[in-house]
Amino acid sequence: MAIVSNPSKPMSNIQKIKGFNDLFGADSAAYTRMENTAREVFSRYGFEELRTPILERTELFARSIGEETDVVSKEMYTFDDRKGRSLTLRPEATAGVVRAYIEAKAEQTKPVAKYFTTGPMFRYERPQKGRQRQFHQINAEILGASEPGADAELMLMLHRFLNELGLKNVRFEINSLGCAECRPAYHQALRDYLDGLDSDSLCPDCQRRKESNPLRVLDCKVPACKEQVAGAPKISDHLDDACREHFSAVLAVLDEAGLAYEINPMLVRGLDYYQRTTFEVVSGEIGAQSAVAGGGRYDGLVKGLGGPAVPGLGFACGMERLFMLLPESEPSGLDFYVAVLVPEASRRGMLMAEELRAAGFRGECAYASGSLKSRLRQANRLNARFCLMLGPDELAKGTVTVKDLASGEQASLAQADLADHLHKHTTT
Ligand code: HAM
């Protein structure tokens, strides 16, 4: 495809794509804080960071997330590369992490591998509050653990992470989806129930899904379908003994650890790879898109993607939704602002700022000289603690006038004593 620009047309502003956002200063800092908190908390549980590509072969997502899911059938950014290979911008991180794990043959060196990843994901959904087309996830995966303790520990880690971010009023919802052994009988019970409904009471997608993948009908967003499935048989009544025991063992650890949860038998999640434990963290404070995090166990996925028969489980948090719930944080300011009052002071001001940065202080120097009033206004705008004034007098004497913008106090000192002075006053 040629990239066309028409020079005879007047230039119009190029705007960002719908559903994609820019993150400036304080917002970006909040995202960094979320990532750093995750890094710190997850490392206490033995997780290592993994960065996988944003672009993967389309087949990876079709085979793992499932052809019938909304994500794969309607929401992926898919295109052919220059050699005609179908590629997709990752709609989630789990598939890529599992692909990387298989490709690296990590099971040979790590009986249990724990990875976390952060970064942008892409889904062509209808943008609304808390729902973007490019959004960011913090994602954690455990590969190689089948024991219920792993499910419980993962949820405890998620809870700790949310707690350390200062999030209040979030709720854990949990369910078990059974396994490859007990799911077929449940599917049949669900199909029988759905077959008993009026033939036009389900949306056309669900008419099809009820044969190919009936669990997906329980997750349909169409209000009429939601209404119809309210009386559907529950998976919890169809779990086999092993799945039931696994689920009770997970809940027993959570109970003992004091993590509050609700069992939601309708929680089937929007991706096909789940088996046994599934969970979501929801908030009543962020509108219709209330799921802050979601995850669960996916024991068949590694094998399904061509790897060894290794169990897996994980979760992802949506950073845009976490962001809406973060407590206000203090705006971070500068330690100093150098107010250059005459052009001849510019060079000295620059060098003074460099010396202070070398000593570890954060600050800026005005590029142009200006009046004292305008420079002080700028120092306040930048939320600087000290305004360092350099005029002709100061230049001649090798001094600097220091105004503490917190207390209003002003002092004249030798430029050589400046770093010591700031040190003494910023640590008290
Ligand atoms: P998910 O439920 O599709 O699961 O997404 C996890 C979280 O990502 C959601 O709870 C939500 O907070 C956020 N999210 C999803 N879509 C959007 C969007 N369009 N805009 C803003 N936020 C969004 C997964 O992605 C699984 N890979 C989680 C997982 C990891 N399961 C096992 N391991």
Side-chain angles (χ1 to χ4, degrees), residues 92 94 123 125 130 132 137 141 269 273-274 291-292 314-315 318:
E92 57 106 56
T94 311
R123 295 184 193 177
E125 295 189 85
Q132 270 84 259
Q137 283 186 344
E141 312 287 355
R269 310 271 302 126
Y273 47 62
Y274 293 111
V292 173
F315 67 74

Side-chain angles (χ1 to χ4, degrees), residues 279-301:
F279 55 91
E280 275 184 2
V281 179
V282 291
S283 159
E285 295 171 14
I286 52 173
Q289 300 307 313
S290 59
V292 173
R297 183 168 274 287
Y298 48 80
D299 288 347
L301 182 59

Side-chain angles (χ1 to χ4, degrees), residues 235-288:
I235 179 82
S236 44
D237 297 328
H238 290 78
L239 297 181
D240 62 20
D241 289 347
C243 287
R244 208 188 310 275
E245 274 166 33
H246 185 96
F247 195 41
S248 329
V250 174
L251 300 183
V253 181
L254 298 182
D255 288 338
E256 212 160 313
L259 194 156
Y261 58 84
E262 283 164 37
I263 296 177
N264 175 359
M266 299 304 274
L267 181 68
V268 297
R269 310 271 302 126
L271 315 162
D272 272 355
Y273 47 62
Y274 293 111
Q275 294 192 9
R276 293 194 163 173
T277 318
T278 53
F279 55 91
E280 275 184 2
V281 179
V282 291
S283 159
E285 295 171 14
I286 52 173

Side-chain angles (χ1 to χ4, degrees), residues 248-418:
S248 329
V250 174
L251 300 183
V253 181
L254 298 182
D255 288 338
E256 212 160 313
L259 194 156
Y261 58 84
E262 283 164 37
I263 296 177
N264 175 359
M266 299 304 274
L267 181 68
V268 297
R269 310 271 302 126
L271 315 162
D272 272 355
Y273 47 62
Y274 293 111
Q275 294 192 9
R276 293 194 163 173
T277 318
T278 53
F279 55 91
E280 275 184 2
V281 179
V282 291
S283 159
E285 295 171 14
I286 52 173
Q289 300 307 313
S290 59
V292 173
R297 183 168 274 287
Y298 48 80
D299 288 347
L301 182 59
V302 182
K303 190 151 190 273
L305 287 175
V310 164
L313 63 159
F315 67 74
C317 301
M319 295 179 73
E320 281 68 16
R321 298 184 194 172
L322 292 182
F323 179 71
M324 287 193 273
L325 290 166
L326 285 183
E328 291 271 322
S329 62
E330 287 289 303
S332 69
L334 299 175
D335 296 316
F336 69 86
Y337 177 73
V338 183
V340 175
L341 304 178
V342 287
E344 312 82 83
S346 273
R347 200 148 22 109
R348 183 79 281 270
M350 277 284 161
L351 295 177
M352 202 158 83
E354 274 304 284
E355 285 156 20
L356 291 175
R357 290 169 186 142
F361 294 104
R362 287 172 311 154
E364 289 188 37
C365 174
Y367 294 122
S369 61
S371 71
L372 181 58
K373 196 166 156 214
S374 77
R375 297 298 101 181
L376 278 171
R377 201 180 316 122
Q378 180 64 357
N380 277 313
R381 205 177 286 143
L382 292 170
N383 201 11
R385 169 74 194 272
F386 293 99
C387 185
L388 312 177
M389 293 168 272
L390 274 184
D393 267 9
E394 286 86 355
L395 264 192
K397 294 189 207 144
T399 59
V400 54
T401 303
V402 180
K403 186 174 172 104
D404 183 337
L405 297 177
S407 66
E409 275 169 31
Q410 194 163 306
S412 170
L413 33 132
Q415 288 170 15
D417 297 337
L418 192 52

